[in-house]
């Protein structure tokens, strides 16, 4: 499914979120507090939005690696960068089975990816393992807004989003999948409970736009 939508993925994000995903991604990167000269691993990197932002924030002496299990997403990420950023690389890999040694990275992130992996606790455990003590793991993922706003959002995401996805982006089923999985994925304290199960002693969340999405931060000790 991700290979099918990879060439229209960026346009889809901009159209369906009205550009908001860019602001959320900037916020996520700020919350990760990657040090200048630091190392960052971005999992389920897709076309590399988060990795590109980190490549600016860690500077030339830092290094950022974006990993995704979908080769055509990685092709798009590489084409965007076009060998112009020596501190940024991309490779194909599975978030649930990382090839890196323990304590390899200052910061490990996953943006709108944890909902898609087969075993989120396993991916979170891997993120915890490869992040050094004193580092941070940051996750951004959809959730379920509550109240009247929640009802409006559910209408948008179940009816309008797949309709536009089908019309403009020629892939209704991918946006049906997005709506279905986002509506059911654990959020708020239910998600931090998964982080605790993966080994984090301290994990907290911030909601974005009334709970459409959340940023979770876990400290590695
Ligand atoms: C919705 S996209 C998110 C892309 C990007 N992080 C963003 O925020 O725009 C989800 C990505 O997760 C990747 N993915 C799903 N399961 C994965 C896994 N087990 N390991 C690595 N990547 C995975 C998909 O290939 C896809 O590129």
């Amino acid at each position: 499914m991700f290979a099918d939508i990879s060439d229209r993925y960026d346009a889809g994000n901009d159209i369906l979120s009205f550009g908001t995903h860019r602001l959320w991604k900037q916020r996520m990167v700020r919350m990760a507090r990657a040090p200048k000269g630091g190392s960052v691993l971005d999992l389920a990197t897709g076309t590399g939005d988060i990795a590109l932002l980190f490549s600016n924030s860690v500077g030339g002496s830092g290094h950022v690696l974006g990993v995704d299990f979908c080769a055509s997403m990685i092709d798009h990420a590489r084409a965007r960068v076009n060998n112009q950023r020596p501190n940024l690389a991309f490779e194909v890999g599975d978030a649930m089975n990382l090839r890196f040694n323990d304590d390899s990275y200052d910061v490990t992130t996953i943006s709108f990816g944890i909902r898609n992996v087969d075993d989120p606790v396993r991916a979170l455990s891997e993120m915890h393992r490869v992040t050094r003590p004193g580092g941070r793991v940051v996750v951004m993922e959809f959730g379920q807004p509550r109240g009247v706003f929640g009802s409006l959002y559910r209408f948008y995401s179940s009816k309008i989003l797949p309709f536009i996805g089908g019309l403009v982006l020629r892939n209704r089923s991918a946006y049906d999948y997005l709506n279905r999985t986002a509506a059911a994925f654990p959020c708020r304290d239910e998600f931090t409970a998964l982080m605790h199960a993966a080994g984090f002693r301290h994990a907290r969340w911030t909601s974005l736009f009334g709970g459409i999405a959340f940023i979770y931060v876990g400290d590695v000790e």
Side-chain angles (χ1 to χ4, degrees):
M1 182 186 80
F2 288 110
D4 267 2
I5 62 169
S6 61
D7 57 338
R8 296 179 297 275
Y9 178 75
D10 293 328
N13 281 348
D14 281 338
I15 293 168
L16 294 164
S17 79
F18 306 103
T20 313
H21 76 108
R22 291 172 182 261
L23 301 177
W24 292 351
K25 285 171 175 168
Q26 286 164 10
R27 184 154 175 202
M28 177 189 188
V29 168
R30 283 197 302 276
M31 287 175 72
R33 294 201 197 148
K36 276 263 177 246
S39 56
V40 178
L41 175 66
D42 181 45
L43 299 175
T45 196
T47 55
D49 279 359
I50 297 286
L52 272 156
L53 291 172
F54 275 121
S55 121
N56 293 331
S57 68
V58 299
S61 57
H63 109 93
V64 180
L65 181 65
V67 171
D68 200 289
F69 76 171
C70 175
S72 59
M73 284 287 192
I74 290 294
D75 289 344
H76 280 279
R78 287 189 179 133
R80 269 174 102 179
V81 174
N82 195 19
N83 293 323
Q84 296 302 305
R85 297 203 181 212
N87 71 349
L88 175 56
F90 293 100
E91 69 179 44
V92 173
D94 184 347
M96 295 184 298
N97 189 14
L98 299 175
R99 67 174 179 83
F100 314 108
N101 292 333
D102 297 359
D103 309 341
S104 295
Y105 287 92
D106 294 307
V107 166
T108 307
T109 55
I110 187 165
S111 153
F112 301 116
I114 195 75
R115 174 176 46 90
N116 301 302
V117 305
D118 286 342
D119 183 347
V121 174
R122 180 155 171 201
L124 290 167
S125 304
E126 280 290 82
M127 295 175 82
H128 185 275
R129 180 182 70 73
V130 302
T131 308
R132 69 163 173 79
R136 281 187 164 188
V137 167
V138 186
V139 178
M140 181 154 62
E141 193 48 86
F142 288 113
Q144 299 95 38
R146 294 170 170 157
V148 178
F149 177 63
S151 307
L152 290 171
Y153 178 71
R154 276 192 294 284
F155 178 76
Y156 170 74
S157 62
S158 64
K159 306 279 185 258
I160 298 176
L161 187 142
F163 176 73
I164 301 176
L167 210 64
V168 181
L169 303 161
R170 304 192 299 280
N171 197 319
R172 185 183 169 113
S173 63
Y175 294 94
D176 272 330
Y177 166 87
L178 189 160
N179 170 53
R180 216 174 347 100
T181 51
F185 196 70
C187 62
R188 302 183 181 82
D189 294 346
E190 278 182 46
F191 187 81
T192 51
L194 299 184
M195 294 180 80
H196 292 139
F200 293 89
R201 286 211 295 158
H202 301 288
R204 55 204 170 276
W205 54 262
T206 302
S207 78
L208 300 170
F209 226 103
I212 291 181
F214 291 83
I215 296 175
Y216 302 91
V217 177
D219 301 315
V220 176
E221 295 173 348

